[in-house]
């Protein structure tokens, strides 16, 4: 029995080594994000037909979701996108807004949302979707510490993405990063938006994006502004601080105050 177990263990180790060797030699196509610093670190952009993880901290789920939407806009502009999330996600982080996706530059008509009963169902649904090469992207959104998303599950998703050519984005909310075969891992926070035009109620989406894992290169951290019209990430320009102008209808008060100061 001990000999059989040894042979089985050796066989499994050999398979894992071949999988890892294949992953290291795998040279995927890449899509540039638009941000010069991030693209340089990623050696040309985000790898397609791979798995990427995006984590949020604290109450940053909206920022992480917006960052995922930006990545989706870069990866699949005209192909269907499947977004898998647990059925209680609407309570925890809010419902996905189709009008919001449209404002970010995505076509809601190409978005298919799937509500799974639990993490197991969500994982199976995402794996099945990754096998469909007609899709452009699969987003798997999982809330909390899901034991199902272990190293074995991550490797299966990676192999499925490589086989079909469909990219997978894992959105992890209220979770701690664990070992995985993901090509990249990001921690995303909201950053201050620059002042927009007077007729806009808010500025452009800006993210504090920290790349904490890069299988084939260094890591980094950048402030990335999402340009909805261009569907690109940019480095935010330096915006001067707004200064209140003097009231145009009361110039005499400033003049009178200056005279009083001189007299005193």
């Amino acid at each position: 029995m001990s000999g059989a177990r040894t042979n089985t263990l050796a066989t499994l180790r050999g398979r894992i080594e071949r999988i890892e060797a294949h992953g290291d030699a795998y040279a995927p196509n890449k899509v540039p994000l638009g941000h010069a610093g991030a693209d340089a670190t990623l050696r040309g952009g985000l790898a397609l037909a791979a798995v990427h993880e995006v984590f949020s901290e604290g109450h940053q789920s909206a920022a992480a979701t917006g960052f995922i939407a930006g990545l989706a806009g870069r990866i699949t502009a005209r192909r269907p996108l499947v977004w898998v999330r647990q059925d209680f996600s609407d309570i925890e982080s809010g419902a996905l807004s189709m009008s919001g996706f449209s404002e970010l530059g995505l076509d809601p008509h190409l978005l298919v949302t799937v509500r799974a009963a639990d993490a197991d169902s969500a994982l199976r649904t995402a794996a099945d979707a990754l096998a469909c090469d007609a899709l452009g992207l699969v987003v798997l959104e999982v809330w909390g510490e899901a034991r199902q998303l272990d190293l074995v599950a991550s490797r299966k998703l990676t192999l499925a993405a490589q086989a079909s050519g469909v990219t997978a984005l894992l959105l992890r909310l209220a979770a701690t990063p664990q070992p995985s075969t993901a090509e990249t891992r990001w921690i995303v926070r909201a950053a201050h938006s620059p002042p927009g035009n007077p007729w806009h109620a808010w500025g452009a989406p800006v993210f504090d994006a920290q790349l904490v894992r890069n299988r084939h290169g260094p890591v980094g951290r950048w402030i990335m502004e999402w340009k909805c019209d261009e569907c690109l990430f940019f480095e935010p320009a330096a915006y001067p601080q707004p200064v209140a102008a003097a009231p145009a209808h009361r110039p005499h008060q400033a003049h009178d105050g200056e005279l009083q100061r001189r007299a005193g």
Side-chain angles (χ1 to χ4, degrees):
M1 291 292 292
S2 60
R5 290 178 180 176
T6 301
N7 292 336
T8 301
L9 182 59
T11 301
L12 291 175
R13 286 176 175 172
R15 290 179 180 177
I16 292 174
E17 290 176 357
R18 287 192 295 272
I19 289 174
E20 295 295 341
H22 174 73
D24 292 337
Y26 181 62
N29 295 324
K30 296 185 177 182
V31 57
L33 300 181
H35 189 284
D39 286 336
T41 300
L42 295 170
R43 299 179 181 178
L46 202 71
L48 301 177
V51 176
H52 304 275
E53 297 175 337
V54 176
F55 284 78
S56 69
E57 291 183 342
H59 301 284
Q60 299 287 341
S61 59
T65 302
F67 186 74
I68 285 274
L71 295 181
R74 294 301 303 138
I75 294 171
T76 174
R78 301 186 181 278
R79 299 181 68 185
L81 158 65
V82 173
W83 194 303
V84 183
R85 63 194 328 231
Q86 292 153 290
D87 55 6
F88 62 84
S89 296
D90 288 3
I91 300 175
E92 295 290 348
S93 56
L96 298 178
S97 170
M98 296 300 105
S99 60
F101 281 132
S102 180
E103 290 182 4
L104 288 173
L106 297 178
D107 185 355
H109 296 92
L110 297 177
L111 176 62
V112 177
T113 58
V114 180
R115 299 179 62 176
D118 49 38
D120 286 311
S121 300
L123 184 57
R124 288 195 300 268
T125 302
D128 291 341
L130 277 176
C132 179
D133 58 8
L135 299 177
L137 179 69
V138 174
V139 175
L140 173 58
E141 177 184 339
V142 178
W143 186 278
E145 305 290 353
R147 58 176 179 79
Q148 296 87 347
L149 286 175
D150 56 11
L151 185 59
V152 175
S154 176
R155 184 174 290 114
K156 289 181 179 179
L157 293 177
T158 295
L159 293 177
Q162 292 178 359
S164 64
V166 180
T167 306
L169 299 180
L170 270 58
L171 176 56
R172 302 299 310 277
L173 306 176
T176 303
Q178 301 293 332
S180 73
T181 59
E183 190 78 12
T184 65
R185 177 181 296 146
W186 304 77
I187 297 178
V188 177
R189 311 166 184 86
H192 292 290
S193 294
N197 295 321
W199 52 87
H200 287 167
W202 51 81
V206 182
F207 307 96
D208 178 353
Q210 183 177 6
L211 178 64
V212 297
R213 170 183 167 85
N214 182 7
R215 288 192 66 188
H216 305 289
V219 295
R221 185 173 182 176
W222 308 274
I223 301 298
M224 303 172 67
E225 179 180 347
W226 175 248
K227 297 288 189 180
C228 304
D229 294 334
E230 295 87 345
C231 207
L232 284 171
F233 288 99
F234 286 92
E235 182 175 353
Y239 291 92
Q241 293 295 325
V243 178
H249 62 287
R250 292 185 300 172
H252 62 281
Q253 292 186 358
H255 181 67
D256 292 344
E258 181 66 21
L259 291 177
Q260 292 176 4
R261 286 194 296 272
R262 290 180 180 178

